[in-house]
Amino acid sequence: MSTTVTELDKVKTGRWNGGRSPFNVEYGKIMMWFFLTSDAFTFSAFLIYYGSQRFAHMTWPDPDKLFQSIPFIADTGFPLVFVGIMTFILIMSSVTMVLAVEAGHRNAKKEVVGWMIATIIGGLMFVGCQALEWTHLHHAGFWWGSIPFQEGVSPEVTLAPYFTKEISEVSALQFANLFFTITGFHGFHVSIGILLNIIILGMTLANTFERRGSYLMVEKVGLYWHFVDLVWVFVFTFFYLV
């Protein structure tokens, strides 16, 4: 009979050792996962409420009619093109973040700096595009607690360009409130992510991670950034496609 002791047997020699931990992950990374899980519940609650309101009403503003402008190019005629560009920018920023994390695993400082800068630029572009979209809708008359209104003109006429079926002031108001709340909440998360990325970039340039011998902080912030990108996929689906 073989008397060779395997590595797994070695860690089980103590009566109360319990063998290898299935959660052998760095503490900070676990805490980030806990935070992202709790934040996912918040976004889920928002989107579930939006979905319930969307399908509780017989009619709802048509995304193809609401989001058909391209700032500085055209006010109408390009449904969902601009938001498609926004989505592409955010997804590509997630790709650059993956490359930054991968470079960190190789302790390649210059590559980490380059990919982090690209990620920050992508985040700033997305937030800037969202600000332009908000501005366009605000000029059209949509805002928290308000919808397009003209003195002496019936709401049916004012809201007609944004509906395909019957026109409903309640639906338009619900849409406005939920759109600015949920996309604003997501935009706030993106802004926080940009700030975190800038801090990590500064720490990288200051050789903080070189001295530690690990770029684990880049990976932690990367988890947050990927979460923000994933949430946008659901926000995009609910508001622009459904």
Side-chain angles (χ1 to χ4, degrees):
M1 181 181 294
S2 174
T3 58
T4 303
V5 179
T6 66
E7 290 297 320
L8 183 60
D9 292 331
K10 287 181 180 178
V11 298
K12 288 187 174 181
T13 54
R15 179 171 295 179
W16 301 104
N17 285 351
R20 294 189 184 279
S21 170
F23 304 107
N24 189 22
V25 183
E26 195 267 340
Y27 174 79
K29 190 184 291 188
I30 292 179
M31 291 302 102
M32 177 59 79
W33 277 113
F34 282 159
F35 167 74
L36 296 181
T37 301
S38 64
D39 216 22
F41 287 130
T42 304
F43 275 106
S44 297
F46 275 132
L47 292 175
I48 289 171
Y49 180 74
Y50 175 83
S52 66
Q53 291 300 307
R54 168 69 179 81
F55 292 104
H57 292 79
M58 296 298 295
T59 184
W60 198 257
D62 187 348
D64 286 342
K65 294 189 174 185
L66 275 164
F67 308 106
Q68 57 176 318
S69 68
I70 301 178
F72 311 117
I73 297 178
D75 289 333
T76 59
F78 297 90
L80 303 182
V81 171
F82 187 62
V83 70
I85 295 171
M86 290 171 54
T87 303
F88 176 78
I89 290 171
L90 195 60
I91 290 174
M92 289 307 299
S93 74
S94 191
V95 173
T96 57
M97 176 58 83
V98 168
L99 294 172
V101 172
E102 190 275 332
H105 290 163
R106 294 185 284 106
N107 291 325
K109 175 187 171 182
K110 289 185 178 180
E111 292 184 40
V112 172
V113 170
W115 292 123
M116 288 299 294
I117 291 174
T119 303
I120 292 167
I121 291 173
L124 290 172
M125 290 176 65
F126 176 84
V127 172
C129 289
Q130 192 170 54
L132 290 173
E133 185 179 59
W134 275 35
T135 301
H136 174 77
L137 287 176
H138 183 56
H139 286 166
F142 290 96
W143 198 240
W144 276 288
S146 65
I147 54 177
F149 171 79
Q150 293 182 18
E151 190 70 34
V153 180
S154 68
E156 286 75 14
V157 175
T158 306
L159 295 173
Y162 309 108
F163 283 83
T164 301
K165 300 178 181 179
E166 297 178 5
I167 296 168
S168 169
E169 292 181 72
V170 175
S171 296
L173 187 59
Q174 283 279 50
F175 171 83
N177 290 335
L178 290 169
F179 175 81
F180 288 112
T181 297
I182 296 175
T183 60
F185 191 56
H186 177 265
F188 172 74
H189 279 71
V190 175
S191 300
I192 293 297
I194 293 170
L195 179 60
L196 291 174
N197 286 334
I198 291 173
I199 292 172
I200 294 300
L201 175 61
M203 295 175 70
T204 304
L205 292 171
N207 292 321
T208 301
F209 305 126
E210 288 283 325
R211 291 192 296 269
R212 292 180 183 176
S214 171
Y215 283 80
L216 186 60
M217 281 297 296
V218 178
E219 187 172 349
K220 294 176 190 176
V221 174
L223 289 173
Y224 177 86
W225 194 255
H226 297 319
F227 169 78
V228 167
D229 288 3
L230 179 61
V231 168
W232 177 253
V233 172
F234 288 97
V235 173
F236 175 78
T237 301
F238 272 69
F239 279 100
Y240 300 94
L241 299 182
V242 177

